[in-house]
Amino acid sequence: MMSLVLTGSLALSLTACGSSTKSETTSPTDSTTTNTTTTETVKEKDVTITFQNIFPDPTDPKNKLMNKLVKQYEADHPNVKIELDSLNTDQQKLKLKTQAASKEVPDITIVNPAAQMKPFVEAKLLAPLNDMLDENGLKGTFQDGLLDWYSFDGSTYALPDGNNIGVVYYNKELFEKAGVKVPTTFEEMLTVVKTLKSKGIQPMGIGEKDTWTGSFLFMNMLLRTNGGPGFLQDVVEKKKTFEDPAFKEAVTAFENLVQAGAFQEGATSFDYNAGENLFKTGKVAMYYMGTWATGGIETSSVNGKVGVFKFPTINGKGNPDEFMLAPGSAFAISADSEHLPETKAFLNWFMLNFPKEAFAAKGAVGIGQKVEGDFKAAGYSDTAMEILGLFKEVKGGDLSFDNTMNPGTAQAHLTSIQNLFAQQKNPDEVAKEHQAAFEANNK
Amino acid sequence: MNVLKVSRLTIAAFVLPCLLIYISIVFVPILVSLYSGLLDWNGIGEATFVGLDNFRNLLFHDPLFWPSVRRTLMFAVFSMFEIPVALFVAILLRRYIRKPNFLVSSYFLPVILSVVIIGQLWKTIYNPGSMGGMLNQLLTAVGLESWTRVWLSDPSVAMYSLYFVALWQYLGYHTLIQFTGIMNIPAEVYEAAKIDGAEAFSADRYITFPMIIPIFKISIVLSFIGSLQAFDMIMVMTGGGPAHATDVISTLMYNMSFLSMKYGYGSSIAAFLVIVCLIATLLINMIFNKSEKRYT
């Protein structure tokens, strides 16, 4: 009974969050829309589009540009009213799952690429967007190949707001203080970790309570020991198993890093923000994360002291130009939307204007569309320029684990990696755990 | 019913609204959740009926399930052990403090704080010394360096660290309940006992304990059921980690239903939790009914 009350109240609180944001954001626009519709439009019917999004933070450039674009669209199309439902990422994921269970997906929502959005596509909850992509040349604005992560059987179901890669941020000042250089091999990286440690500087920070953080780093190591991308794909296709030597080698390397004391004590109770803050406040020297973190780091106290480097080779294996790829969260349209044409028209216009506005708001590092303009002249920081340079060197890579495998296997993996922070385990056992979970979830 | 001299119809009419609400928000969801426990369903797509497969996997094949049941029950047992302590504090308050209201309210303070705040507070207290953790620094300062731990990340102590926070938070709550119970015992009884030569702790033994049993029972039931549904604090502090070391039934259910997207399997865990709660409540009631009869 308690559990039901629990889940019930969870769902309630989620919807409560949603509706409160709705009422806040719509109230100012209410009067203007009704006024204009009565005078100007006669034929066009009034339409309200619900726009669920993950930009609730008013200081985030993406929140500002979304509000700006929405207001502008409402002004140009008096019959269209756009209701924003702004939630943070975890809330949105949960709310969408709850809504999907009762087939009440909002007109526009946010999904994640590949394996994570597959259940929604299979349940026919999302509308194919091919026709809309062809309008006004929207398709051409996206980076080549990016839309493939959001396409199933030739139809594209979502439009990404970002495309990032995994890099190691480092604090130049702390590196100088310890007299270490940027490592080019994993073995050098271990030495750097030990040197930093001996000088009393915490080498790396991580927010491992959220589990995907450690997995993201681990997968980059697997990308190296496997000598290239596609390990998980091979497992899915049953060409390899998790008991492959490449996987065990990655586990060993990862454990070496943990045992060398790279990460802060008690890492598993630090959530993502707390982990990132260690780096942002200059308490740790290195931080492995997707390039989406750049904006936050630039506005922190370590701004100007930060450099980035590619994750190095392990035992001479792998190519540093292959990265962990993180195609971003993406806008999708509900297949059951009552105003499908209007919603498509709005999203088309929104995405066409997205890169330009993002560039102006200094949020264009790591967006999924091609951007025209001189970043340097527009005042982007050195770190941002360095990352833009790295983007040009990308020669493929892998997606994160939970974007490749089904949720059941992914959860088992995430827990298994988190465990490596708490206790040392035999790589054979870790491999067996993974294989067992994979088999149990792919009957 | 006959005593009231009202027609059965009237009674039914008055009971009905409440009954309907109760049925629709308690019984129907339980039944729905029992039914989804029989499905193989990710919460979004098509569901297939698998009979009792979920329950079979849960009870016999899931390596995570029984450990989390054990942790849940330990949680319940620990919080029941807390009640005598609360009673003791209440007795001390009643006997030695002239105006105990201020103290009782301060003990009660943690209860009205949001669990998220409490979780964050204790997370900082439990932090490693190098990150400014108070507990570890305190231990180091008094020379007990060997006792320092990464309290929330060491699987062998993490769960106990969580128990402690819950006990700390609810001590004031139960103290208040016990205190109110003691205050309700008529002073004449104690005066009479004093004449008979029963004072201090012998008065407690023969007067306070027997007369407070109904209140004691309320506390026990509340703490037991409360700890079975412990969820928020664990979510805030460890999220069930590291590696399920602090998972209890409810967090496991959440992980399964929403993260692993096995909604049917999660529902079967929920059904199990319902059954445990029912059995526990019945059991506690039975035990106390016996002891109440003995004393009154």
Side-chain angles (χ1 to χ4, degrees):
Chain A
M1 193 187 321
M2 291 307 142
S3 58
L4 283 163
V5 174
L6 196 78
T7 28
S9 61
L10 192 71
L12 272 179
S13 62
L14 282 173
T15 39
C17 282
S19 53
S20 66
T21 15
K22 255 184 226 165
S23 55
E24 267 172 41
T25 41
T26 50
S27 45
T29 50
D30 249 359
S31 51
T32 49
T33 4
T34 39
N35 282 343
T36 38
T37 33
T38 43
T39 50
E40 283 176 26
T41 45
V42 192
K43 273 181 199 167
E44 282 182 286
K45 61 177 192 300
D46 281 358
V47 175
T48 305
I49 298 172
T50 320
F51 186 179
Q52 191 174 68
N53 64 79
I54 48 170
F55 312 132
D57 178 5
T59 60
D60 178 4
K62 280 184 176 154
N63 173 288
K64 285 179 199 153
L65 84 93
M66 172 183 72
N67 276 322
K68 188 181 162 198
L69 285 176
V70 163
K71 283 214 179 78
Q72 197 182 331
Y73 194 81
E74 283 180 334
D76 294 346
H77 301 77
N79 65 319
V80 178
K81 202 172 101 185
I82 293 157
E83 264 187 27
L84 292 175
D85 179 11
S86 307
L87 307 158
N88 70 34
T89 314
D90 289 345
Q91 284 177 338
Q92 189 269 339
K93 274 190 185 178
L94 266 184
K95 185 171 179 185
L96 180 62
K97 277 175 194 168
T98 322
Q99 286 172 323
S102 55
K103 309 263 174 216
E104 284 168 358
V105 179
D107 295 316
I108 300 178
T109 185
I110 305 285
V111 292
N112 286 287
Q116 285 200 59
M117 66 183 281
K118 203 171 164 202
F120 294 95
V121 174
E122 278 173 351
K124 299 198 170 23
L125 291 168
L126 307 179
L129 304 175
N130 291 15
D131 50 341
M132 180 268 240
L133 272 166
D134 290 335
E135 270 170 48
N136 306 324
L138 179 60
K139 196 170 190 171
T141 67
F142 285 94
Q143 290 164 14
D144 300 331
L146 178 60
L147 289 177
D148 294 350
W149 304 117
Y150 308 88
S151 302
F152 298 85
D153 296 324
S155 299
T156 304
Y157 291 92
L159 309 176
D161 65 355
N163 186 22
N164 288 282
I165 52 174
V167 295
V168 188
Y169 293 91
Y170 71 101
N171 188 318
K172 289 177 183 164
E173 208 175 69
L174 292 179
F175 263 48
E176 220 165 275
K177 213 165 126 192
V180 288
K181 283 203 188 87
V182 171
T184 53
T185 66
F186 183 66
E187 296 66 37
E188 280 179 33
M189 191 163 164
L190 284 178
T191 326
V192 167
V193 163
K194 282 170 193 154
T195 319
L196 284 164
K197 194 102 186 147
S198 67
K199 296 266 162 71
I201 299 167
Q202 182 59 46
M204 294 183 87
I206 193 166
E208 182 56 17
K209 185 183 169 220
D210 291 14
T211 64
W212 61 266
T213 42
S215 160
F216 199 45
L217 172 60
F218 171 79
M219 289 305 292
N220 204 328
M221 301 173 83
L222 180 60
L223 178 65
R224 297 285 178 269
T225 57
N226 190 44
F231 180 85
L232 291 184
Q233 204 53 44
D234 288 347
V235 172
V236 171
E237 286 162 14
K238 310 244 157 98
K239 285 185 213 150
K240 278 182 185 163
T241 69
F242 281 107
E243 302 194 41
D244 192 272
F247 186 82
K248 289 181 190 170
E249 195 180 341
V251 176
T252 313
F254 193 81
E255 291 201 274
N256 287 341
L257 195 59
V258 174
Q259 297 305 325
F263 304 103
Q264 82 273 18
E265 272 185 290
T268 56
S269 59
F270 281 71
D271 60 25
Y272 171 68
N273 288 322
E276 189 161 299
N277 273 333
L278 291 176
F279 184 77
K280 285 189 192 167
T281 51
K283 287 202 183 99
V284 300
M286 288 184 279
Y287 180 54
Y288 178 85
M289 192 37 64
T291 44
W292 60 77
T294 310
I297 289 171
E298 279 180 342
T299 49
S300 73
S301 62
V302 291
N303 184 28
K305 302 175 202 160
V306 178
V308 283
F309 63 88
K310 307 167 189 173
F311 198 85
T313 57
I314 298 177
N315 300 330
K317 288 180 195 157
N319 178 357
D321 284 336
E322 286 164 354
F323 290 87
M324 282 310 290
L325 306 176
S329 47
F331 303 102
I333 294 179
S334 162
D336 302 322
S337 168
E338 283 169 33
H339 335 283
L340 203 51
E342 289 87 352
T343 310
K344 277 184 179 174
F346 165 70
L347 191 58
N348 183 288
W349 180 87
F350 185 84
M351 290 314 288
L352 278 173
N353 286 286
F354 192 80
K356 201 173 64 200
E357 294 296 332
F359 180 74
K362 287 205 190 156
V365 175
I367 69 165
Q369 287 159 289
K370 296 167 190 161
V371 183
E372 280 163 31
D374 188 345
F375 282 85
K376 188 92 199 163
Y380 279 78
S381 73
D382 288 345
T383 320
M385 294 309 295
E386 215 174 320
I387 285 165
L388 287 166
L390 284 187
F391 277 123
K392 290 185 188 125
E393 292 166 33
V394 176
K395 305 237 174 0
D398 269 332
L399 290 192
S400 71
F401 198 104
D402 52 356
N403 279 336
T404 319
M405 290 272 181
N406 62 33
T409 318
Q411 280 309 311
H413 157 78
L414 292 173
T415 320
S416 177
I417 296 299
Q418 192 191 39
N419 200 12
L420 298 181
F421 284 87
Q423 50 197 351
Q424 203 170 4
K425 285 195 89 178
N426 187 337
D428 294 334
E429 256 177 76
V430 179
K432 273 206 189 83
E433 247 172 43
H434 275 75
Q435 190 58 25
F438 174 74
E439 276 159 19
N441 284 291
N442 287 279
K443 277 177 195 158
Chain B
M1 244 181 257
N2 296 328
V3 191
L4 285 171
K5 285 189 180 173
V6 212
S7 74
R8 279 153 191 267
L9 206 70
T10 324
I11 294 176
F14 275 94
V15 172
L16 197 65
C18 205
L19 188 69
L20 278 181
I21 293 174
Y22 192 64
I23 286 179
S24 59
I25 67 170
V26 176
F27 276 97
V28 173
I30 288 184
L31 291 179
V32 171
S33 132
L34 273 176
Y35 173 70
S36 6
L38 305 175
L39 303 174
D40 178 12
W41 185 32
N42 66 6
I44 296 171
E46 291 300 309
T48 41
F49 188 82
V50 291
L52 290 172
D53 270 10
N54 282 335
F55 288 93
R56 202 172 302 134
N57 281 336
L58 185 69
L59 297 176
F60 303 113
H61 301 298
D62 192 333
L64 302 174
F65 178 65
W66 288 111
S68 48
V69 172
R70 190 177 54 85
R71 280 188 284 266
T72 309
L73 293 179
M74 291 265 285
F75 207 151
V77 169
F78 274 116
S79 43
M80 289 198 296
F81 280 146
E82 182 188 29
I83 313 297
V85 179
L87 178 60
F88 183 66
V89 173
I91 290 174
L92 291 184
L93 280 174
R94 147 103 198 204
R95 177 154 315 135
Y96 297 112
I97 315 285
R98 199 161 297 155
K99 287 202 170 109
N101 283 357
F102 173 73
L103 272 182
V104 172
S105 327
S106 6
Y107 291 154
F108 192 72
L109 197 68
V111 183
I112 56 170
L113 285 180
S114 146
V115 181
V116 179
I117 295 174
I118 296 215
Q120 292 294 346
L121 173 74
W122 278 91
K123 251 173 98 169
T124 359
I125 293 177
Y126 282 143
N127 256 345
S130 56
M131 299 284 161
M134 192 174 94
L135 180 58
N136 281 333
Q137 286 186 346
L138 205 69
L139 286 173
T140 318
V142 297
L144 289 169
E145 209 146 19
S146 58
W147 287 21
T148 56
R149 294 272 184 293
V150 232
W151 297 100
L152 290 176
S153 301
D154 182 343
S156 55
V157 293
M159 201 62 221
Y160 296 96
S161 310
L162 290 178
Y163 293 149
F164 182 79
V165 178
L167 297 191
W168 171 81
Q169 185 184 5
Y170 281 101
L171 182 66
Y173 183 62
H174 294 298
T175 305
L176 179 73
I177 296 180
Q178 303 303 319
F179 182 72
T180 327
I182 296 179
M183 294 304 265
N184 280 337
I185 300 174
E188 294 86 39
V189 183
Y190 286 104
E191 277 162 23
K194 211 169 180 178
I195 294 167
D196 289 345
E199 254 192 292
F201 286 101
S202 59
D204 288 328
R205 165 76 182 78
Y206 293 105
I207 300 168
T208 318
F209 290 168
M211 291 190 86
I212 205 145
I213 279 187
I215 309 291
F216 200 72
K217 181 180 124 185
I218 294 174
S219 265
I220 292 273
V221 172
L222 283 177
S223 66
F224 191 89
I225 303 290
S227 42
L228 286 187
Q229 56 160 334
F231 176 80
D232 33 14
M233 191 194 80
I234 295 173
M235 242 24 211
V236 170
M237 292 180 70
T238 62
H244 297 295
T246 56
D247 253 343
V248 293
I249 301 181
S250 56
T251 55
L252 185 70
M253 175 191 74
Y254 171 87
N255 281 335
M256 282 300 165
S257 329
F258 292 111
L259 300 180
S260 296
M261 287 180 79
K262 295 176 184 165
Y263 206 86
Y265 195 66
S267 297
S268 65
I269 301 180
F272 181 86
L273 194 53
V274 170
I275 294 164
V276 171
C277 283
L278 283 179
I279 294 177
T281 318
L282 288 178
L283 215 67
I284 292 175
N285 266 323
M286 233 167 64
I287 295 172
F288 274 96
N289 280 344
K290 268 190 196 155
S291 58
E292 263 176 73
K293 265 184 206 134
R294 187 142 56 99
Y295 280 111
T296 46

